[in-house]
Amino acid sequence: MSRIGVFICHCGENIGATVDCEKVAAAAAKIPGVVHSVDYKYMCSDPGQNMIKEAIREKNLTGVVVGACSPRMHEPTFRRACEEAGLNPFLCEMANIREHCSWVHEKGDPTTEKAIDLVRVIVEKVRRNKPLVPIKVPVTKTALVLGGGIAGIQAALDIANAGHKVIMVERSPSIGGHMSQLSETFPTLDCSQCILTPRMVEVARHANITLHTYSEIESIEGFIGNFKVKIRKKARSIDMKACTGCGLCSQKCPTRKIPSEFDAGLGTRPAIYVPFPQAVPNKPVIDRLNCTYYLKGKCRLCEKVCPTQAIRFDQEDEIVEADIGAVVLATGFEIKHGDFFPEYGFGKFKDVIDGMQFERLASASGPTLGEIRRPSDGKKPETVVFIACAGSRDPAKGIEYCSKICCMYTAKHAMLYRHKVHGGNAYIFYMDIRAGGKMYEEFVRRAIEEDGVKYVRGRVSRVYEREGKLIVQGADTLLGAQPVEIEADMVVLATAAVANDGAEELAQKMHVSYDAHKFFAEAHPKLKPVETNTAGIFLAGACQAPKDIPESVAQASGAASKVGALFSQDELTREPVIAVVNRSAPPLYSTCVGCFLCQAACPYQAIEREEIRTRDGKLIKTVAKVNPGLCQGCGTCVAVCRTKAIDLQGFSNEQVFAEVMALLDRSEPDAGI
Amino acid sequence: MPEFEPRIVAFVCNWCTYAGADLTGTSRIKYSPNVEVIRFPCTGRIDFMLLLKAFAEGADGIIISGCHPNDCHYTSGNFHARRRWILFRGLLDFMGIDVERVQFSWVSAAEGAKWADVVNTTVEAVRKLGPYENFRKIDRAGAV
């Protein structure tokens, strides 16, 4: 007979205000096999945990049910408490009467009744729980950092400096990310490249970091501490060892009119190119989609001029395999481009540009060498209109969130423009100014008060051309929605920050959750901002949500410290939630009939064949066997098994059927409720 | 006469819908208390015999919910669940079981509001259908 203890938590008012906890505890006490049932204000507190420990010792409990918050929150807490009192931790389960009950329903009998149901279900489950032993697995102390922007760089350096190996994978030919494209940074106006490039170089020469640029993740499998990753190194068409980065090939390449990705389409580059002068690695790549040789079969001029014979036209993609223990996702963001704003004339008028293009115009390494010249005719614009929230906070455009960085970079753009074009007029159309952050508000004030940037509160309805000028039509809502019309020479759109191209596909490969906008989801919005729902995979930077540089760096260091904590252990323990195939005495040996439907269903190739033989080697039966090292405990095999020979520890058939029955059975002993 | 309060059992996966329903709670979005959740590691684990068991024990409606296609924590469990459900649904329909009472849905860990919506929509739909007494009659007849 089981001796189960039930502990109902009030969680202060969180549960207690809507659920009658005393009533729940009293109802639970009537369930056969429950020998102890109490309620308490904070079960997770020290006195609360001690109540559980004492009850285990005094009443010799064989199972513990804690009716409190989500098991995703406090299951480890209570299981540890049980273990400390000498009860196998897997005999403790939680009934979620907070997230699934008190927080989502109104106060009243139906809510209390539901809480009782939820507790009864878990009591019936725990009654059938078996003591389990955690599985120990080794930890591979190498981290994979995906993305070589500032977040990835920071995470990689922090992990590498802690003494662990890092593999960094970057999709483009150079690391540096968006930060390398920026001119100056808010709120200090210090040069972006000047602070970034030393770190890029540090990554390249760090003994603990292996850098794979122009590479992508092909596949990843495994689990925390023990992932196996395949990296596709795309053919660069260059022998990286032979190339000295002299740049002669780029100078001689006859295909020169390709819009430069680095210059956000404002400048051009040849078909064999180094993305930007400080690129890491500073070696070129052949853009096969635009190279004359790959398109027409002749040219090979770069091969002729290369002094070290480093050009490899026949190079193929290479797959590199690696064992890793943790992953930091730092794949960054993208800004909305193009036809998103037909009313603002983006793509129609050359002088309507996006924020990244303005960064390149203002950058000393940009196509105009830092002079603000409009793209259409190269003239200095006398009036520039900046439109904030171009797409952001606009449910009609499908982006209801705030892109967070635009208020600040728009203020910066207007300031840079005023510094570079004396006497120019800068207007900013805005919805609200969001300048939360150290020295941020002061920065915006400086733009307004010292640099004379004119802020107009209101939306722009339309941008059109009239006699060589861009007419910006909007409304000033501080003047009672009075129509405003500004004749501008250039318009800069602070377009929404969106998830990177391929973010969804990557999330699916990595098995991490993502939100409706394809930003990766953190494990808890407040308390686990760098973890994902998949153990061993962490987040850094704008791949989680739009972020500025200091926030990205802080989160990257946070992710790195999580990786460091993981790597400080030589062995991890894993929950023994795995499938097992039953075994019984001869002549049956197992109810498994050897159909191996489970083998086809298993996503981890964890099902093996086991031959049962007589002493003299005669085959009696071939049955399935689960490899506990590979099994991840999804239980798909259990659902397909025809003879119910395979079962999942912790979610066994006996348990789940008992749960369903208990859930719906409101008769005795709860008739009094 | 008081309004009929349907009893609905939700079979959900741990990684997406259970976490999504936790988020509904964290966000304090209210929904009908008629639904109670049973947690599974994955929708792939859900043996559809459980559905019949639930109806036999008095459920008026059932929700099955897990990760969106391609988002499964275990790579493909949700595809197995979907495929099996399509077959099983046909079989149930053939047997005369009211398949409208089973709602198959996908709610991710980030979709707290969607979970509330799925619950409320299902509760309303099942409320209109009324108590599922027919099934229990069949079941009892079969048991004799």
Side-chain angles (χ1 to χ4, degrees):
Chain A
M1 184 70 188
S2 34
R3 301 177 55 79
I4 294 169
V6 176
F7 303 86
I8 306 297
C9 179
H10 291 245
C11 195
E13 291 285 284
N14 282 306
I15 298 170
T18 34
V19 170
D20 185 342
C21 294
E22 280 175 40
K23 207 166 170 180
V24 177
K30 290 186 201 155
I31 305 172
V34 172
V35 295
H36 185 77
S37 182
V38 289
D39 59 296
Y40 184 65
K41 199 123 187 114
Y42 290 105
M43 223 62 230
C44 60
S45 66
D46 269 350
Q49 291 186 49
N50 284 336
M51 283 169 74
I52 299 176
K53 289 184 201 170
E54 278 162 28
I56 292 172
R57 291 192 193 106
E58 282 167 18
K59 306 229 168 160
N60 200 16
L61 300 181
T62 58
V64 166
V65 174
V66 185
C69 50
S70 171
R72 303 171 62 86
M73 189 88 186
H74 266 312
E75 195 179 71
T77 313
F78 294 116
R79 285 193 166 172
R80 196 167 46 237
C82 289
E83 198 174 12
E84 282 166 10
L87 185 73
N88 183 292
F90 298 95
L91 298 174
C92 167
E93 298 258 2
M94 293 183 72
N96 187 347
I97 59 169
R98 192 178 75 175
E99 279 85 344
H100 288 189
C101 191
S102 71
W103 275 353
V104 288
H105 307 314
E106 307 295 342
K107 183 183 172 125
D109 284 344
T111 305
T112 300
E113 206 166 355
K114 175 169 172 178
I116 294 169
D117 289 340
L118 294 174
V119 170
R120 191 174 54 239
V121 166
I122 300 299
V123 168
E124 290 308 318
K125 185 179 186 202
V126 165
R127 193 197 300 287
R128 292 161 179 83
N129 273 19
K130 300 221 160 45
L132 302 174
V133 182
I135 301 167
K136 284 197 161 45
V137 286
V139 180
T140 308
K141 295 184 181 180
T142 301
L144 173 72
V145 175
L146 270 185
I150 183 60
I153 289 173
Q154 182 70 36
L157 287 176
D158 282 359
I159 299 167
N161 287 337
H164 305 298
K165 297 279 179 210
V166 176
I167 297 171
M168 180 186 265
V169 175
E170 164 61 46
R171 175 158 76 169
S172 59
S174 167
I175 59 170
H178 283 309
M179 190 177 166
S180 66
Q181 291 176 281
L182 306 181
S183 54
E184 271 81 25
T185 54
F186 60 79
T188 47
L189 292 189
D190 49 349
C191 152
S192 183
Q193 287 195 337
C194 311
I195 53 177
L196 175 68
T197 48
R199 301 221 164 178
M200 291 163 61
V201 174
E202 205 181 331
V203 166
R205 64 172 173 73
H206 203 296
N208 281 344
I209 302 179
T210 312
L211 181 59
H212 297 290
T213 52
Y214 208 48
S215 302
E216 289 186 53
I217 294 300
E218 187 76 5
S219 68
I220 184 161
E221 52 191 53
F223 51 92
I224 181 169
N226 298 273
F227 295 102
K228 276 191 193 312
V229 64
K230 282 187 184 158
I231 301 160
R232 175 179 290 273
K233 284 183 79 102
K234 289 179 278 184
R236 218 179 163 105
S237 314
I238 303 290
D239 181 337
M240 293 291 275
K241 288 211 178 85
C243 175
T244 59
C246 70
L248 212 54
C249 50
S250 301
Q251 286 168 25
K252 300 288 180 193
C253 178
T255 313
R256 312 206 63 85
K257 294 276 180 205
I258 305 161
S260 156
E261 294 85 358
F262 183 72
D263 280 333
L266 290 182
T268 57
R269 62 161 172 85
I272 181 165
Y273 70 107
V274 175
F276 55 104
Q278 303 93 325
V280 171
N282 206 329
K283 292 182 181 175
V285 53
I286 297 182
D287 170 4
R288 291 189 176 185
L289 296 175
N290 287 300
C291 168
T292 314
Y293 173 68
Y294 287 103
L295 292 175
K296 297 186 181 151
K298 48 187 168 187
C299 178
R300 301 177 81 122
L301 199 57
C302 46
E303 194 180 38
K304 281 174 207 127
V305 300
C306 178
T308 59
Q309 284 79 50
I311 310 287
R312 298 279 181 277
F313 286 110
D314 56 352
Q315 202 174 56
E316 284 176 6
D317 289 5
E318 188 190 341
I319 303 287
V320 180
E321 288 185 32
D323 288 330
I324 48 163
V327 182
V328 177
L329 293 178
T331 49
F333 72 107
E334 196 43 76
I335 58 166
K336 268 279 187 209
H337 303 284
D339 49 0
F340 198 55
F341 308 100
E343 66 272 37
Y344 294 165
F346 190 100
K348 190 167 153 200
F349 309 124
K350 275 190 163 174
D351 296 329
V352 177
I353 61 173
D354 63 38
M356 192 51 87
Q357 290 176 318
F358 188 87
E359 292 285 348
R360 296 313 301 148
L361 283 184
S363 169
S365 69
T368 57
L369 303 175
E371 285 188 42
I372 307 292
R373 293 184 178 279
R374 58 186 210 168
S376 63
D377 54 9
K379 278 192 193 143
K380 276 193 181 173
E382 282 163 22
T383 301
V384 179
V385 172
F386 297 87
I387 303 176
C389 298
S392 308
R393 301 178 65 195
D394 191 349
K397 289 278 188 198
I399 299 177
E400 58 270 17
Y401 59 85
C402 164
S403 292
K404 199 168 185 183
I405 49 176
C406 327
C407 283
M408 294 306 294
Y409 80 62
T410 300
K412 176 190 77 178
H413 286 173
M415 274 164 102
L416 290 177
Y417 166 69
R418 290 274 298 152
H419 293 175
K420 285 170 188 265
V421 182
H422 302 294
N425 299 307
Y427 294 91
I428 296 179
F429 279 89
Y430 70 101
M431 286 163 81
D432 298 289
I433 303 175
R434 296 185 165 178
K438 197 169 179 178
M439 299 299 289
Y440 284 14
E441 176 65 20
E442 293 90 324
F443 184 77
V444 173
R445 286 257 138 236
R446 185 176 148 199
I448 298 169
E449 287 164 9
E450 285 178 30
D451 293 311
V453 176
K454 298 176 191 90
Y455 273 77
V456 184
R457 189 179 189 278
R459 305 295 312 262
V460 172
S461 56
R462 191 156 94 94
V463 176
Y464 62 97
E465 213 168 24
R466 188 174 69 202
E467 291 159 12
K469 292 273 187 188
L470 290 166
I471 310 299
V472 180
Q473 262 186 357
D476 188 334
T477 53
L478 294 181
L479 294 175
Q482 187 180 310
V484 185
E485 207 176 85
I486 295 170
E487 285 191 2
D489 300 304
M490 192 162 86
V491 174
V492 183
L493 307 178
T495 54
V498 293
N500 226 328
D501 235 18
E504 186 173 22
E505 200 191 331
L506 180 67
Q508 291 171 352
K509 252 182 215 167
M510 311 299 291
H511 304 305
V512 300
S513 317
Y514 51 94
D515 65 21
H517 299 288
K518 321 279 188 264
F519 286 112
F520 301 152
E522 63 283 358
H524 188 281
K526 276 152 284 191
L527 297 178
K528 288 185 176 176
V530 304
E531 291 97 328
T532 64
N533 274 335
T534 304
I537 301 185
F538 304 98
L539 300 176
C543 60
Q544 183 224 356
K547 278 194 193 72
D548 60 17
I549 296 166
E551 281 180 330
S552 296
V553 170
Q555 196 188 11
S557 286
S561 82
K562 292 280 171 195
V563 172
L566 174 63
F567 288 177
S568 69
Q569 308 163 74
D570 293 319
E571 250 183 357
L572 288 176
T573 51
R574 197 159 71 81
E575 281 211 359
V577 176
I578 52 166
V580 278
V581 182
N582 65 25
R583 287 289 181 271
S584 57
L588 193 61
Y589 298 99
S590 166
T591 55
C592 173
V593 293
C595 70
F596 289 100
L597 277 178
C598 51
Q599 204 172 34
C602 179
Y604 301 101
Q605 291 82 47
I607 312 261
E608 296 166 355
R609 284 168 176 268
E610 187 184 35
E611 292 177 343
I612 296 172
R613 291 175 183 276
T614 58
R615 229 181 274 184
D616 48 357
K618 213 178 95 195
L619 182 68
I620 301 169
K621 198 174 185 183
T622 307
V623 295
K625 188 185 167 201
V626 176
N627 178 335
L630 295 175
C631 177
Q632 296 299 303
C634 65
T636 305
C637 52
V638 181
V640 299
C641 183
R642 298 164 169 181
T643 57
K644 299 281 164 268
I646 195 162
D647 213 346
L648 185 63
Q649 297 191 135
F651 293 91
S652 67
N653 281 319
E654 197 193 348
Q655 285 174 310
V656 296
F657 276 91
E659 282 183 75
V660 170
M661 289 163 74
L663 178 64
L664 293 157
D665 180 18
R666 275 184 181 167
S667 61
E668 285 297 314
D670 303 315
I673 307 295
Chain B
M1 193 181 131
E3 204 179 6
F4 160 60
E5 289 298 340
R7 297 210 64 195
I8 290 167
V9 183
F11 299 114
V12 307
C13 84
N14 179 45
W15 301 97
C16 289
T17 305
Y18 196 90
D22 275 359
L23 182 64
T24 319
T26 316
S27 320
R28 311 294 202 279
I29 301 168
K30 304 282 184 222
Y31 58 82
S32 161
N34 304 46
V35 169
E36 288 159 76
V37 160
I38 292 184
R39 180 165 71 126
F40 287 82
C42 177
T43 42
R45 165 70 185 87
I46 300 169
D47 183 337
F48 289 127
M49 289 307 285
L50 282 163
L51 274 56
L52 297 182
K53 191 73 190 169
F55 281 137
E57 296 293 322
D60 303 301
I62 289 169
I63 297 172
I64 303 162
S65 180
C67 307
H68 286 266
N70 287 333
D71 292 3
C72 178
H73 183 79
Y74 303 104
T75 313
S76 57
N78 56 354
F79 288 129
H80 282 284
R82 180 172 68 177
R83 192 184 297 181
R84 255 184 296 118
W85 170 235
I86 290 167
L87 290 173
F88 201 72
R89 189 182 195 278
L91 182 64
L92 292 186
D93 203 16
F94 173 75
M95 285 159 62
I97 287 163
D98 210 349
V99 287
E100 281 169 53
R101 292 173 184 272
V102 184
Q103 170 70 33
F104 196 100
S105 157
W106 288 307
V107 176
S108 84
E111 292 175 328
K114 186 179 173 189
W115 173 246
D117 196 45
V118 167
V119 167
N120 288 335
T121 323
T122 311
V123 169
E124 279 324 301
V126 175
R127 206 193 295 278
K128 281 202 191 96
L129 291 170
Y132 199 15
E133 271 157 11
N134 279 344
F135 187 90
R136 294 192 274 285
K137 270 183 218 153
I138 306 167
D139 190 54
R140 248 172 254 126
V144 174

